[in-house]
């Protein structure tokens, strides 16, 4: 299906619809349908879609508009589906939503993700919740657009504490050990970050007692990684440690 609506005000990045992710709402699937949230960077909206699992048809159930020029890129949902958070690429903000029946979103708050002591241009990239749901992290890419080299210096992840009701409190900023961290994923108690300009994947492991992240450790070097998934070696029949595999746009 094609998303429609009024584009945001950014002349080059919001010429029309630009859906960037499709995420299922936890607990919404049944025998007939499943609900999904789609952040659309070009329209400054998050759309709720219903998938008819029998026919494959998609229906728009609703949409919520963000501030003009926000550019919602990716979205993360609480494990129980009661709250959602977008990383807004163009404004470098986190928009906080409650999620009600039928995937109805209500915007509750907007937080800046930027370190006020860092005056470089940035774009928001990824948003993830920790496995226990108690912290939210968003990555910031230095540079005013995809064609920018980024830097100088390391980029960072903004960290927020998540209260039981889903509200956020800023905790600080964590250097990632590279430039332009486009994607992040949790695995085995650590946060893995891909850097599209320094061509590296780093691991940030929090201290079990304090939650403070240790200095980033480089775990892979590959051409401009933009996504990361983990796979288990089938020869170990589930006993071996999953191995990271980073995508490289120059080598599909």
């Amino acid at each position: 299906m094609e998303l429609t609506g009024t584009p945001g005000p950014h002349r080059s990045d919001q010429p029309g619809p630009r859906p960037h992710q499709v995420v299922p709402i936890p607990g919404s699937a049944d025998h007939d349908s499943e609900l999904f949230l789609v952040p659309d960077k070009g329209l400054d909206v998050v759309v709720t879609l219903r998938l008819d699992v029998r026919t494959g048809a998609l229906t728009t159930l609703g949409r919520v508009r963000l501030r003009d020029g926000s550019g919602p890129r990716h979205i993360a949902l609480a494990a129980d589906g009661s709250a959602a958070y977008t990383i807004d690429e163009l404004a470098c903000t986190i928009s906080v939503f409650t999620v009600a029946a039928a995937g109805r979103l209500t915007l509750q708050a907007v937080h800046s993700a930027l370190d006020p002591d860092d005056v470089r241009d940035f774009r928001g990239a990824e948003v993830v919740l920790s496995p226990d749901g108690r912290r939210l992290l968003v990555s910031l890419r230095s540079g005013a657009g995809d064609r920018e080299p980024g830097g100088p210096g390391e980029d960072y992840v903004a960290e927020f504490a998540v209260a039981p009701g889903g509200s956020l409190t800023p905790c600080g900023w964590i250097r990632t050990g590279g430039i332009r961290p486009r994607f992040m994923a949790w695995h085995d108690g650590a946060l893995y970050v891909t850097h599209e300009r320094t061509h590296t994947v780093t691991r940030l492991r929090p201290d079990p007692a304090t939650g403070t992240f240790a200095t980033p450790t480089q775990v892979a070097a590959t051409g401009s990684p933009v996504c990361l998934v983990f796979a288990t070696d089938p020869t170990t029949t589930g006993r071996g440690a999953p191995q990271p595999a980073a995508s490289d746009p120059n080598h599909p």
Side-chain angles (χ1 to χ4, degrees):
M1 68 179 299
E2 181 177 354
L3 300 182
T4 60
T6 302
H10 197 289
R11 291 186 178 182
S12 60
D13 278 72
Q14 295 183 308
R18 282 193 171 182
H20 263 61
Q21 192 181 36
V22 179
V23 176
I25 298 178
S28 69
D30 57 31
H31 293 298
D32 300 317
S33 65
E34 187 169 4
L35 304 183
F36 296 85
L37 296 177
V38 181
D40 191 307
K41 171 184 167 181
L43 302 181
D44 284 330
V45 299
V46 180
V47 181
T48 302
L49 298 181
R50 177 186 181 273
L51 171 67
D52 187 316
V53 297
R54 296 166 301 179
T55 66
L58 287 170
T59 305
T60 300
L61 294 183
R63 62 174 59 200
V64 59
R65 188 168 183 89
L66 282 65
R67 294 177 177 177
D68 286 353
S70 296
R73 178 183 177 86
H74 280 187
I75 191 165
L77 285 92
D80 63 0
S82 63
Y85 309 88
T86 59
I87 174 61
D88 308 322
E89 177 178 337
L90 302 178
C92 292
T93 53
I94 302 105
S95 296
V96 183
F97 308 84
T98 55
V99 185
R104 186 174 68 255
L105 299 182
T106 302
L107 181 62
Q108 297 292 337
V110 179
H111 299 269
S112 173
L114 294 172
D115 180 348
D117 294 328
D118 195 329
V119 297
R120 294 177 293 170
D121 287 324
F122 279 94
R123 291 285 184 100
E126 185 60 281
V127 54
V128 296
L129 283 161
S130 61
D132 62 7
R134 297 173 61 183
R135 68 175 81 185
L136 182 102
L137 299 111
V138 296
S139 64
L140 283 300
R141 301 176 292 172
S142 55
D146 285 344
R147 294 181 178 87
E148 297 294 321
E154 298 178 17
D155 288 341
Y156 58 81
V157 169
E159 180 182 11
F160 293 79
V162 182
S167 62
L168 300 179
T169 301
C171 296
W173 296 269
I174 306 156
R175 297 293 166 175
T176 62
I179 295 176
R180 294 186 65 85
R182 185 161 177 152
F183 183 84
M184 301 185 295
W186 282 93
H187 173 68
D188 195 26
L191 184 69
Y192 288 78
V193 184
T194 68
H195 300 94
E196 63 177 326
R197 285 293 183 265
T198 43
H199 313 292
T200 57
V201 179
T202 58
R203 180 178 62 233
L204 288 76
R205 190 176 296 279
D207 183 281
T210 66
T212 302
F213 283 90
T215 301
T217 301
Q218 181 175 315
V219 296
T222 184
S224 192
V226 295
C227 189
L228 183 70
V229 296
F230 291 88
T232 301
D233 184 348
T235 63
T236 65
T237 63
R239 295 189 297 272
Q243 302 298 313
S247 71
D248 179 348
N250 299 312
H251 302 281

